[in-house]
Amino acid sequence: MPLILDHVSQIYNEGTKESVRALDDVSLIIPEGQFIGIIGHTGSGKSTLVQHLNGLMLPKKGSVFYNGKDISDKDFSRKELRQHVGLVFQYPEHQLFETDVFADVCFGPKNMGLSKKETELAAFEALRMVHFPEDLYYASVFELSGGQKRRAAIAGVLAMKPDFLVLDEPTAGLDPVGRLEILGMVSELHKKSGLTIILVSHSMEDVATYVERVIVMDRGRVAYDDTPREVFSHAEELKEMGLGVPESTEIAAMLRARGFDVDPKVITEKEAADSIYAALKARR
Amino acid sequence: MIRDITIGQYYQTDSVMHRLDPRVKLLGTLLFIVALFMYKNPAGYIIAIVFLFSVIKLSGVPVKFITRGLKGILMILMITVLINLFLTPGTAIVTLGKVSITYEGVGMAFTMMLRLIMLIMGSSIVTLTTTPNNLTDGLEKGLGFLKVFHVPVGDVAMMMSIALRFIPILMEETDRIMKAQLARGADFESGNLVKKAKSLVPVLVPLFVSAFRRAGDLAMAMEARCYRGGDGRTKMKPLIYKRRDIIAYIILFLFVIVSVWVGRWSVISGFFNDLYLRFLLN
Ligand SMILES: Nc1ncnc2c1ncn2[C@@H]1O[C@H](COP(=O)(O)OP(=O)(O)OP(=O)(O)O)[C@@H](O)[C@H]1O
Ligand SMILES: [Mg+2]
């Protein structure tokens, strides 16, 4: 079932001096099966936007529809929505609270009212999906490394078997290896389990490599909503929004300016390397 | 929710009240509260109300913000009124079973309500016009004489300012953790009291963990900057009385002396008592 945002606006501290228009007339359709990236300068409303997807925030104006029903309706079960749309917050490890990892992952499915056996099965499956080291299933959550905690927290959401997985900057504060591992795992979830993924990210490279659709937020508005290749062809406009293009695209543009016949539309490292190789070969 | 509590919230604007020395405001609140409990007739309260509203006007804080603090004590207010209404001995007006409302009870309940409301409004003005840091500075300097009795005033003041600084941070953190657990299907609203209390465990554990982590970080940062206790620590902006502070003290003392004198003057008290009895008997 697709998620539909229809002219959604959100204002913090409405009616006071510090009122902030965090979302301004945002309309989006999020069908099942896509891998979507959301980028935007800090404060552009990304975190606010994703909280509307599972009903943690309700729009001040406009509506959000799931399954054809308005999530602001009184008789709409937002608890059920939260099972279908799993949201992993920025620094999700700060939500861990149980005595051991396994018990913490069980929290979600238990809240969904599953039996003990179903809960434990779901938790095992989720921990396997995130490649959590098996010898640490019963370790205390406070003894884990940063990356392991992050995995445990993501498993905690996956255990509810959502159809949509929304991740708010899942790689923040991780080292390069940890980043790649988490991103690889998310990409695998999309490919193998067919999950719809919505990834909020600050990294143009990550977005260029993994997603099929990019939503660019700028001061609460949707500036672009297109394929990565199309979005990253607007280098100038992106710079104005405090964003950039992937390094590969930038290098290709620089080489082109110096007279090499490199394709300016490359966005990933591999494409850039291939295109530069081809250009050099043609020169010979 | 938690955000509605006015005490401890600063309202940013520029006014005479904001610029006053915090010691003046602190002593002022203390004297105002003491005075409130000394009046014996309505004349005293009338002077106090006029004084209170003049101060509110001077502070430039919208009345809305000041009365918001009253929401928090609504329950206490109601209980106080009911207890006074029913449990004050005297001449009964209405009798309900075993308890009765008395003439004295009505008067007492009304007086207590007035006192509590004015007390909260009076103290709200101070916290609304003084930054928490300024407030602790005022307390530190104002209570400095306690050092003679080996009270570590400087350290206590530092602890207070840190605690105050952390309130908004922890509130934000609570909000964030609650949302994260809601996203995992937590339910903080339904069920009986025991269930509700239990449902807070997933919020409280991460909150304590994060509070301890922050405390550790802060201690480290303070040590790295050679903090070694409050003694002999000088201030970047030392508190010095200005002319307006002296004037404020004079107005304050005048108010207290006049209102208490009028509020306890037996001639006026007798007159109002008479009026009250006649009003009730008719
Ligand atoms: N609880 C809140 N109260 C008031 N204003 C808020 C609150 N949360 C966010 N804002 C404001 O709303 C705007 C959008 O914030 P949001 O957190 O959605 O940005 P973001 O794109 O996620 O930023 P970042 O990349 O830094 O995470 C910002 O201007 C922010 O200051
Ligand atoms: Mg954010």
Side-chain angles (χ1 to χ4, degrees):
Chain A
M1 291 298 149
L3 267 166
I4 298 172
L5 279 77
D6 181 33
H7 299 285
V8 170
S9 292
Q10 180 59 255
I11 302 159
Y12 287 110
N13 303 321
E14 194 171 12
T16 69
K17 262 192 240 161
E18 304 111 67
S19 98
V20 182
R21 187 169 270 266
L23 289 183
D24 189 1
D25 197 24
V26 171
S27 294
L28 291 169
I29 298 180
I30 301 173
E32 274 191 80
Q34 282 190 338
F35 193 154
I36 301 174
I38 300 182
I39 56 176
H41 193 57
T42 172
S44 58
K46 305 181 294 290
S47 299
T48 309
L49 174 66
V50 294
Q51 286 177 49
H52 285 78
L53 300 180
N54 73 345
L56 278 178
M57 293 185 84
L58 297 175
K60 286 267 155 71
K61 265 192 229 146
S63 331
V64 179
F65 296 98
Y66 176 71
N67 216 346
K69 294 201 188 80
D70 190 333
I71 69 161
S72 303
D73 278 350
K74 272 220 171 64
D75 54 350
F76 182 86
S77 164
R78 281 187 280 280
K79 193 168 164 181
E80 207 182 302
L81 174 69
R82 284 172 200 151
Q83 190 230 308
H84 294 292
V85 183
L87 174 57
V88 181
F89 274 88
Q90 231 160 341
Y91 295 102
E93 53 273 25
H94 294 172
Q95 72 187 33
L96 302 175
F97 72 98
E98 276 284 9
T99 44
D100 62 69
V101 174
F102 191 72
D104 201 274
V105 176
C106 284
F107 182 65
K110 208 163 69 191
N111 285 331
M112 312 295 30
L114 297 186
S115 70
K116 193 165 184 288
K117 199 169 160 198
E118 285 171 314
T119 300
E120 290 184 349
L121 270 176
F124 267 122
E125 202 180 325
L127 281 167
R128 255 211 323 274
M129 275 157 96
V130 299
H131 303 302
F132 194 82
E134 267 168 40
D135 50 334
L136 292 178
Y137 277 18
Y138 295 101
S140 157
V141 290
F142 302 114
E143 286 167 2
L144 306 178
S145 76
Q148 286 164 348
K149 276 188 202 167
R150 190 80 44 108
R151 273 161 204 264
I154 295 175
V157 171
L158 278 178
M160 296 192 299
K161 305 207 167 131
D163 308 317
F164 293 79
L165 182 64
V166 187
L167 300 132
D168 195 349
E169 296 192 37
T171 57
L174 292 184
D175 59 33
V177 178
R179 293 172 58 99
L180 281 184
E181 279 177 5
I182 294 278
L183 285 170
M185 177 203 96
V186 170
S187 163
E188 190 185 302
L189 283 175
H190 173 65
K191 284 200 193 101
K192 278 199 191 151
S193 317
L195 268 165
T196 312
I197 310 267
I198 297 156
L199 175 79
V200 176
S201 177
H202 266 132
S203 157
M204 305 303 135
E205 282 74 30
D206 295 351
V207 168
T209 318
Y210 294 101
V211 312
E212 59 190 272
R213 171 180 170 195
V214 183
I215 295 168
V216 183
M217 296 295 296
D218 180 35
R219 280 164 292 173
R221 290 176 158 273
V222 175
Y224 293 106
D225 179 2
D226 217 322
T227 61
R229 204 175 300 284
E230 197 47 50
V231 167
F232 289 131
S233 65
H234 300 276
E236 284 304 310
E237 290 90 335
L238 287 175
K239 279 220 180 74
E240 257 164 44
M241 296 172 199
L243 298 170
V245 293
E247 276 171 355
S248 313
T249 317
E250 207 154 340
I251 288 172
M254 277 152 86
L255 286 172
R256 221 181 144 71
R258 298 202 173 191
F260 291 91
D261 186 23
V262 182
D263 181 4
K265 291 218 149 184
V266 299
I267 52 173
T268 64
E269 282 169 32
K270 190 169 178 311
E271 286 172 7
D274 289 347
S275 177
I276 293 170
Y277 180 71
L280 287 176
K281 216 166 158 188
R283 274 211 159 188
R284 291 261 167 87
Chain B
M1 249 169 51
I2 332 176
R3 283 162 207 271
D4 287 336
I5 301 168
T6 325
I7 291 188
Q9 257 187 25
Y10 179 63
Y11 183 87
Q12 176 90 41
T13 177
D14 194 29
S15 79
V16 190
M17 277 304 286
H18 284 74
R19 273 170 302 194
L20 274 188
D21 191 290
R23 286 170 289 178
V24 181
K25 291 188 258 187
L26 284 168
L27 186 68
T29 324
L30 191 70
L31 289 181
F32 181 71
I33 293 172
V34 170
L36 277 182
F37 283 83
M38 286 177 71
Y39 304 143
K40 287 196 165 141
N41 65 47
Y45 290 106
I46 292 170
I47 299 179
I49 289 173
V50 171
F51 179 73
L52 184 65
F53 276 89
S54 323
V55 171
I56 292 176
K57 189 87 193 117
L58 275 179
S59 72
V61 180
V63 180
K64 191 176 73 185
F65 273 84
I66 294 161
T67 47
R68 204 193 274 174
L70 293 176
K71 258 194 241 160
I73 61 151
L74 204 64
M75 211 55 204
I76 300 175
L77 210 58
M78 267 165 25
I79 293 172
T80 317
V81 167
L82 286 180
I83 288 180
N84 277 299
L85 206 55
F86 287 106
L87 299 182
T88 314
T91 340
I93 315 171
V94 194
T95 308
L96 301 165
K98 283 214 169 101
V99 287
S100 49
I101 300 176
T102 60
Y103 291 127
E104 289 80 358
V106 174
M108 200 59 191
F110 187 72
T111 317
M112 282 315 283
M113 188 177 76
L114 203 63
R115 279 176 181 166
L116 276 178
I117 291 177
M118 288 174 73
L119 186 153
I120 292 291
M121 286 175 75
S123 10
S124 296
I125 297 180
V126 176
T127 49
L128 280 163
T129 58
T130 322
T131 59
N133 269 337
N134 230 329
L135 207 59
T136 7
D137 275 0
L139 275 177
E140 185 179 0
K141 197 114 184 236
L143 299 178
F145 66 89
L146 288 176
K147 274 186 205 150
V148 181
F149 307 109
H150 299 287
V151 179
V153 179
D155 291 336
V156 174
M158 176 56 85
M159 283 196 261
M160 258 189 67
S161 57
I162 291 173
L164 287 172
R165 175 71 193 82
F166 269 73
I167 290 174
I169 294 181
L170 289 181
M171 261 157 66
E172 217 169 273
E173 188 96 356
T174 313
D175 204 43
R176 200 164 36 225
I177 296 171
M178 277 179 110
K179 275 184 174 169
Q181 306 300 23
L182 276 174
R184 294 208 280 164
D187 187 350
F188 301 119
E189 268 134 36
S190 61
N192 56 20
L193 210 61
V194 179
K195 192 158 169 263
K196 267 189 198 163
K198 263 193 184 160
S199 74
L200 283 180
V201 172
V203 177
L204 291 179
V205 173
L207 191 63
F208 273 101
V209 171
S210 116
F212 279 115
R213 189 181 53 232
R214 279 174 201 280
D217 289 352
L218 183 68
M220 194 103 82
M222 283 168 78
E223 247 171 27
R225 290 185 227 169
C226 305
Y227 180 80
R228 44 169 188 78
D231 271 345
R233 203 162 164 261
T234 52
K235 292 258 181 288
M236 191 158 102
K237 292 181 194 153
L239 291 176
I240 298 166
Y241 282 127
K242 305 246 169 52
R243 223 183 60 173
R244 58 167 171 264
D245 299 313
I246 311 290
I247 298 172
Y249 269 133
I250 294 173
I251 296 175
L252 184 64
F253 285 123
L254 274 180
F255 156 74
V256 172
I257 292 167
V258 171
S259 69
V260 170
W261 182 68
V262 172
R264 294 175 73 90
W265 196 16
S266 53
V267 179
I268 298 184
S269 304
F271 168 73
F272 274 109
N273 258 340
D274 242 29
L275 206 68
Y276 178 55
L277 278 179
R278 217 171 292 161
F279 168 75
L280 280 179
L281 290 179
N282 279 344

